[in-house]
Amino acid sequence: MSVPPPVGQAVAAAHDDAKGFFLYAKRARRHVIDLPHNFEILNNRVVSLCSSWKVLNDDINRQSVTRQKNDNYEACLKEKDRILKHYQERIVNRYKKLVGLESGANGEAGNQIPVGELSAASKRWNNRFYIRTFYRLARLDKNVRKFMTEVTELENKITLEHVTSRINPEIVVRQSAKELTHVPSHQAVLDSLVVCLCDADCKRIIIHGEPQVGKTNILRNLNNRLVQCPPGLELDCVIWVTFPTRLPEPEDITTDIQDKILQRLDLAGQKGGSGKKEAISRALREKSYLLLFDGFSPSIELEDIGISEEHEHGKVIIEAKDPYLLKNFKCHKKIELEKLSPQDSRILFDKIIADEKLCEENRDLGDMIVEELGGLPGVIISIARSLKCEQEDCWEGLNQRLKADVNVIDLPELGGVKLAFHIAYDNLKENDRKCVLYAALFPKVFPIPIDILVECWKAEGFLWCPGSSFAAARSEGRTVLNELTMHHLLQKCSKRHVKMPINCRRVALETPFPGEERETSFVKSGVPGHLEEAEWKKARRVSLMQSKSVKLPVNPESKRMSTLFLLLNPELEIIQESFFRYMKTLRVLALNSLGMKLLPTCLSSLTALQSLYLNNCGKLQQLPPGIRKLRKLEVLDIRGTLIRCLPEEISSLVNLICLRFSLGPGACNPSPDRDSLERQTSETFSTAKHLNKLEELTIVLEINNGSIDYFVNRIKAGFSKFENVTQFENVNNRIELLLQRQYQPPRGGEVNFSNSTVPVTHGHDAMTGIEWPRPDNEGRYRGGVSGANYLASVKDKGKGTETLKDKSAILQTGEPLEANANNFEENVALEVPLTDQFSNLEQVLQEPPVKQSMPLNNWSPPLDERVQAPFQNYGSASVRLK
């Protein structure tokens, strides 16, 4: 039955309104019905957009050498982020809320939306046109359709051609580089390099630091960054040159570099060194260029390559692998690249592992591993890659190996460290190499006192220092230290301490001393362990510093031992009486910071000992009487012990050069008053006056009665012959005084032999050839030595040692100077130290201080040995064969 038409105007108006609402509701219902389908289409397009963006980035990375991102890339990236955010917040979350589902977590990806669940929940709203949510769903469908168009438009834009531009090969060639975003300190260095490039006056820059610290990677990042020059910097060409390390001759190196530059400038084909130089200089004269050298040599001149200072707009940055380059290369800026801090090291480590759960589960192990890697980015990256996806036992195993330094250097991840060490090590002199390896006897990252290290080097014979002057040895030691720190084999950690980089030490421990077979040095420093009997037998150097539960044998047959470090083992309270019996070649013995009260009497058998360290043995009360037999001892340190009264035996140590001790409460007087301290000081003066060769005296004052200033002045006055006095302030009323003087041997002259063709009655100047007649007495002993035809002229320079150099030089100390030299080698040196009583050679010959002669007639000593005849209290005479 048909509905009758409405009657009247009011009814007609109502009919129109109802018809309009019906049509609106009908269209809204269509939107509500279509919403699940349209939402599914939008969801798929968003997923497709994300996938297309990932593919685009992969293509950009693959073609990074030829293409670079442009401004469109940044615009598309911002639009993509906006679309994803809008999709999640304005579409997905609103849809869920309208259909009665809970909103997902922020950031939930589109492909995780339960589309089927949303579709089912929407169907119950299809006919509820009388509820407001019905119309909101309809508006949402309209937004979905509109937003779908935006997603499609953006997806069509993200093409390689739209978001990248082709790189002009004449400006820069990209280098393979690791990102610096996760290494903030290196990013800061890169930024500082860019700032330097923008400075017109900064044309020569050096970046330096120890090997494997990341210098090359920073230069590569700089090269790639200059694809788009920062404001204020315009470059026509960036040239990357890898320095050739396998070419021995400077000319070959220069030619190789020139060829690389010419090839980069598309000027290959030039012949002859001068032609290449002129071609490079001419091509770059008017260009604004940057030359990046990955390595360089002080033997190469930039001018010889064709890089001139006259190039007004040219700049050069050099990564300095050769330490001598820092001294010889004139530059406007030096930038030192430090090792990574512990925080940066851990950030880099976690970034490479790329597994948050794995890193968190092994947090403590990771910290310990990173600490053992020495802050070198290359090592950290290599080790982290090897630990990816590994279980906890693998992490623990690596940590134990690193801590114990067992078979660590064979790890492929440390190959670069080993190569860098040997490049620096192989360029050293033989004795300097020994100095490097000796420093590895100390525990890892241990602050090594510079004075102690130099004293050990001297005792081992690693330093070239003519004469017996301790000051000369210290000077030579400082020279060696500067050489080693310049090569980054040692590092200064304070004014008085150095340390060995942890990775350099690992390589050094695996490197034999020059001229020695392997396994002559045994190091158990900082780790538990002890040596087997066979190891003690073949050991030359042993370090058991900070060795937990150290166990010493009763009577080791260490007949080749030269250095023994037992220090920093406070639990070690007893050393067996026969322990040192066979160590007659021992030169350095460090027993400081042990728990001993007494030293074994067999210490007297160490007749070759030159340095003895007993400092900080807080329970040690006295020295054994046999210490007087250590006639070669040069260094004795008894600071921080209970020995506060210098024993009389010390006065017998005639070769002692350096003495360190404490004044104050001790075993001889636990609570000294001022008078007791005065007696201690007087006894110190009395004992020390017999030590004629003493050059360094260190006294630690521990006085709590307010008289410390008095005793400081008292000591300075008592040792007035020590010209240099350094005072170190300590806490708790402790003051350390270092007194130094230059050793002056007894007065005398030096003997220069004249031409043997000159008569005995005449003198002769070897430089001018002039001869002159001698007085009768002057030539009697100089020219009249038995069997000698050579003359000697004496130049008086005060008391000293007179040296006769001649194959017929002889010595007999009971009668006028004569002996048979037939058994001597070609070159013989006769040394006669003189005293106040015998001030020149004539006195010694005429008035010999002892009556018993020295039997030399049938003696034929080996080379480099010395035989001494005592002159009682006056000194000694010696014969040395050269």
Side-chain angles (χ1 to χ4, degrees), residues 23-317:
L23 294 175
Y24 174 73
K26 184 179 179 181
R27 288 193 297 269
R29 184 173 180 271
R30 183 74 265 164
H31 282 298
V32 173
I33 293 172
D34 291 343
L35 176 58
H37 177 70
N38 292 335
F39 177 78
E40 184 177 359
I41 295 175
L42 175 61
N43 181 72
N44 293 336
R45 290 191 180 179
V46 170
V47 172
S48 176
L49 174 67
C50 295
S51 177
S52 299
W53 186 262
K54 183 178 183 303
V55 171
L56 173 69
N57 280 299
D58 292 341
D59 290 341
I60 293 174
N61 291 333
R62 280 194 296 270
Q63 301 186 39
S64 59
V65 175
T66 58
R67 304 195 73 88
Q68 62 180 344
K69 300 172 185 177
N70 56 26
D71 295 339
N72 292 335
Y73 179 89
E74 295 298 328
C76 289
L77 178 61
K78 291 180 180 179
E79 181 66 10
K80 177 187 74 74
D81 293 341
R82 184 195 69 79
I83 284 177
L84 293 179
K85 183 178 180 181
H86 182 90
Y87 170 70
Q88 183 65 44
E89 295 178 356
R90 301 293 181 87
I91 304 294
V92 177
N93 292 346
R94 182 166 177 79
Y95 192 7
K96 285 186 171 185
K97 184 177 180 181
L98 290 174
V99 298
L101 297 178
E102 294 183 359
S103 178
N106 290 336
E108 188 177 12
N111 59 4
Q112 296 176 331
I113 299 303
V115 178
E117 184 179 346
L118 282 171
S119 177
S122 330
K123 288 182 179 180
R124 59 192 178 92
W125 296 95
N126 289 350
N127 298 314
R128 296 187 179 185
F129 55 87
Y130 50 85
I131 297 177
R132 183 178 297 176
T133 302
F134 175 85
Y135 300 100
R136 289 176 177 171
L137 287 171
R139 284 197 297 272
L140 179 61
D141 182 62
K142 294 178 182 179
N143 293 336
V144 167
R145 292 187 179 189
K146 180 180 177 182
F147 191 64
M148 199 184 302
T149 304
E150 296 181 23
V151 174
T152 304
E153 290 177 354
L154 177 60
E155 188 173 7
N156 292 334
K157 285 182 180 179
I158 54 174
T159 62
L160 192 65
E161 291 73 17
H162 181 69
V163 300
T164 63
S165 303
R166 183 170 295 279
I167 296 175
N168 185 350
E170 296 181 356
I171 297 177
V172 66
V173 175
R174 295 178 67 89
Q175 301 290 321
S176 175
K178 301 179 181 69
E179 293 184 9
L180 299 180
T181 53
H182 45 274
V183 190
S185 58
H186 286 196
Q187 183 66 47
V189 173
L190 176 60
D191 294 339
S192 66
L193 282 172
V194 174
V195 172
C196 292
L197 290 177
C198 295
D199 184 356
D201 296 327
C202 191
K203 300 176 67 175
R204 299 287 187 268
I205 304 170
I206 283 184
I207 177 172
H208 63 99
E210 67 177 272
Q212 299 290 303
V213 79
K215 304 182 293 295
T216 298
N217 189 54
I218 288 179
L219 279 194
R220 288 175 176 171
N221 274 275
L222 175 65
N223 177 87
N224 298 345
R225 183 167 172 174
L226 294 176
V227 168
Q228 290 183 329
C229 292
L233 178 64
E234 294 183 2
L235 292 173
D236 299 322
C237 186
V238 177
I239 304 173
W240 178 276
V241 176
T242 300
F243 190 80
T245 57
R246 298 183 180 276
L247 298 177
E249 299 298 329
E251 295 80 6
D252 297 333
I253 296 174
T254 300
T255 300
D256 183 86
I257 294 174
Q258 288 173 333
D259 289 340
K260 291 175 179 177
I261 296 176
L262 289 170
Q263 183 178 2
R264 178 69 181 84
L265 298 174
D266 293 330
L267 296 175
Q270 299 290 332
K271 296 182 180 180
S274 59
K276 294 178 180 180
K277 174 183 175 180
E278 291 299 327
I280 292 173
S281 181
R282 185 169 53 252
L284 297 178
R285 184 174 293 119
E286 302 299 330
K287 284 184 179 292
S288 175
Y289 67 87
L290 172 62
L291 192 58
L292 298 174
F293 277 104
D294 182 20
F296 206 70
S297 170
S299 62
I300 305 299
E301 296 289 341
L302 289 176
E303 291 282 349
D304 295 338
I305 298 172
I307 310 301
S308 174
E309 287 279 358
E310 297 178 358
H311 295 171
E312 185 177 355
H313 305 293
K315 295 178 180 289
V316 178
I317 299 181

Side-chain angles (χ1 to χ4, degrees), residues 402-561:
L402 290 172
K403 280 190 172 298
D405 293 322
V406 176
N407 299 325
V408 173
I409 203 58
D410 294 330
L411 290 171
E413 294 82 5
L414 295 180
V417 173
K418 187 173 182 179
L419 177 62
F421 174 87
H422 281 292
I423 288 175
Y425 177 82
D426 293 344
N427 287 328
L428 298 175
K429 301 175 183 176
E430 181 175 304
N431 276 1
D432 294 351
R433 296 179 188 178
K434 294 178 180 179
C435 291
V436 172
L437 302 183
Y438 195 91
L441 298 179
F442 294 86
K444 62 181 66 174
V445 299
F446 183 83
I448 309 171
I450 293 176
D451 288 346
I452 305 300
L453 183 60
V454 172
E455 290 161 8
C456 294
W457 287 346
K458 181 181 185 299
E460 283 272 11
F462 298 159
L463 299 180
W464 183 87
C465 42
S468 59
S469 171
F470 217 53
R474 292 233 184 272
S475 177
E476 174 66 12
R478 285 192 294 270
T479 301
V480 174
L481 275 174
N482 290 337
E483 179 84 1
L484 301 185
T485 53
M486 188 170 60
H487 282 90
H488 303 286
L489 298 172
L490 290 179
Q491 293 176 338
K492 287 282 186 72
C493 52
S494 71
K495 289 184 178 180
R496 304 173 72 180
H497 296 83
V498 294
K499 65 180 179 181
M500 195 169 200
I502 191 168
N503 289 304
C504 285
R505 180 177 179 271
R506 290 191 175 108
V507 186
L509 289 176
E510 300 290 334
T511 305
F513 273 73
E516 299 180 10
E517 64 273 19
R518 285 188 174 274
E519 296 185 351
T520 58
S521 297
F522 297 90
V523 180
K524 303 286 185 180
S525 298
V527 295
H530 62 278
L531 270 63
E532 302 296 335
E533 181 179 351
E535 293 174 329
W536 280 104
K537 192 169 184 178
K538 62 182 179 180
R540 289 179 180 266
R541 299 166 196 89
V542 171
S543 175
L544 298 176
M545 293 176 62
Q546 295 177 331
S547 183
K548 302 174 183 178
S549 304
V550 60
K551 296 179 181 179
L552 299 180
V554 176
N555 187 17
E557 295 186 28
S558 303
K559 298 180 180 180
R560 307 166 66 190
M561 185 85 72

Side-chain angles (χ1 to χ4, degrees), residues 342-350 359 362-363 366-367 370:
Q343 295 79 9
D344 281 359
S345 298
R346 187 58 206 251
I347 292 172
L348 177 59
F349 182 82
D350 290 347
C359 291
N362 298 282
R363 171 62 55 182
D367 288 341
V370 168

